[in-house]
Amino acid sequence: MSLLRSLLVLLTLPLSAARAQQPPVDAAPDEAGAEEDQDLIRAWKDLYDLRLGKDARWADDTYIEDGLCTARLKKGVMVPVTSGRKVLPERPVGAVFFGEGELEVRFESREEALFFANHMYAAGEMTREQLAPIVALEEPYRTSIDRAVLFTADQQLGTLMRRLDPVGSGFRESDDTMVANEATERGVDAEYVVTSTKGELKAKLFSRNLLPDRRRALTQSGMDPGEALQFDRMVHDAWGVPGK
């Protein structure tokens, strides 16, 4: 029977007969599947929400490597940036850093290097002479950092931060002298570790401003870190795709 004849037969059938031709509809949807879908939706929304962690860590010759970027944090304080909580577990996906460090970006293709060079030249950050060896892939881009926000969905970041010494034994004002002395011994500006009147580390208070400011600047330039981390965590943590 041709497709046209089939359609004509269906249209000319009585309503009761037409209903008889339809497959039965389940009385209730698959509740387990629906709940699983809702969990994924909640996880997806939650992973976009970046929050500051509750503690802070001493960064002492700490290396963070992800893709083309390597950050060497010589000395300073790291406040973790986390995502997840409602469905997937909360874990670090970055850190706000205050102190002394260096960032290195080694490009693998001339196209990537040229894109970066055009951006830096247009922004007035570097000259053509400074950018020439980077575009030629002869030298990586290097810059010193004293405050920065580092983002990575690599699960090794959580392992790294757990191995670092916590700043102080608590955020009580009575600990200020002890923590400030430790900061001096480590060569870190004590301003970042003494507590405020609310009993929080100054580093965390500074992080509250730096995190949204840097995130907003990246988003306006077309690189939303929230979206990138949200996608990476969903793929790797929720669906089990290997990180590499």
Side-chain angles (χ1 to χ4, degrees):
M1 184 182 294
S2 67
L3 177 60
L4 179 58
R5 288 184 61 192
S6 300
L7 291 174
L8 289 174
V9 168
L10 180 59
L11 290 173
T12 56
L13 281 173
L15 183 58
S16 58
R19 286 176 176 169
Q21 301 294 321
Q22 297 176 355
V25 178
D26 292 338
D30 184 345
E31 295 182 0
E35 182 62 29
E36 183 178 350
D37 290 344
Q38 289 301 315
D39 284 348
L40 287 177
I41 292 173
R42 286 194 293 268
W44 179 252
K45 292 180 179 179
D46 194 33
L47 293 181
Y48 186 77
D49 185 18
L50 304 182
R51 299 175 293 274
L52 290 174
K54 297 179 181 179
D55 58 357
R57 303 278 170 164
W58 296 110
D60 185 10
D61 268 336
T62 302
Y63 286 83
I64 299 176
E65 185 174 357
D66 188 4
L68 306 177
C69 303
T70 301
R72 180 194 173 195
L73 311 180
K74 300 177 183 178
K75 54 187 177 182
V77 179
M78 295 172 66
V79 179
V81 177
T82 69
S83 75
R85 184 164 50 186
K86 297 177 182 177
V87 179
L88 295 178
E90 185 174 17
R91 72 170 177 85
V93 290
V96 182
F97 169 74
F98 299 94
E100 180 182 336
E102 182 181 70
L103 175 68
E104 177 180 296
V105 183
R106 183 174 296 276
F107 297 99
E108 296 178 340
S109 70
R110 291 179 63 89
E111 291 77 12
E112 290 176 338
L114 187 59
F115 179 83
F116 171 80
N118 286 336
H119 169 74
M120 296 298 284
Y121 182 77
E125 298 289 338
M126 300 179 70
T127 65
R128 291 179 180 272
E129 291 73 21
Q130 292 173 321
L131 291 166
I134 297 175
V135 174
L137 305 183
E138 296 172 354
E139 293 288 339
Y141 167 72
R142 293 188 182 93
T143 184
S144 59
I145 52 178
D146 57 7
R147 55 184 63 194
V149 183
L150 310 171
F151 294 115
T152 174
D154 194 326
Q155 296 191 20
Q156 293 184 13
L157 177 63
T159 302
L160 169 67
M161 296 202 71
R162 285 191 295 272
R163 292 175 178 171
L164 299 178
D165 295 333
V167 178
S169 58
F171 299 152
R172 301 183 303 274
E173 293 187 27
S174 58
D175 293 330
D176 275 1
T177 302
M178 179 191 70
V179 178
N181 289 340
E182 186 174 2
T184 301
E185 293 173 0
R186 293 175 178 266
V188 177
D189 190 340
E191 180 184 18
Y192 298 132
V193 298
V194 298
T195 58
S196 70
T197 55
K198 296 181 180 180
E200 293 179 299
L201 286 179
K202 286 290 183 66
K204 187 169 182 181
L205 295 178
F206 295 149
S207 298
R208 289 181 182 176
N209 296 325
L210 191 58
L211 175 59
D213 286 348
R214 292 293 169 90
R215 181 177 182 178
R216 190 179 305 111
L218 286 170
T219 302
Q220 290 174 348
S221 67
M223 299 177 290
D224 186 347
E227 287 185 351
L229 295 166
Q230 177 189 46
F231 179 81
D232 284 352
R233 280 214 61 187
M234 181 63 76
V235 170
H236 303 317
D237 293 15
W239 294 331
V241 178
K244 297 301 180 183

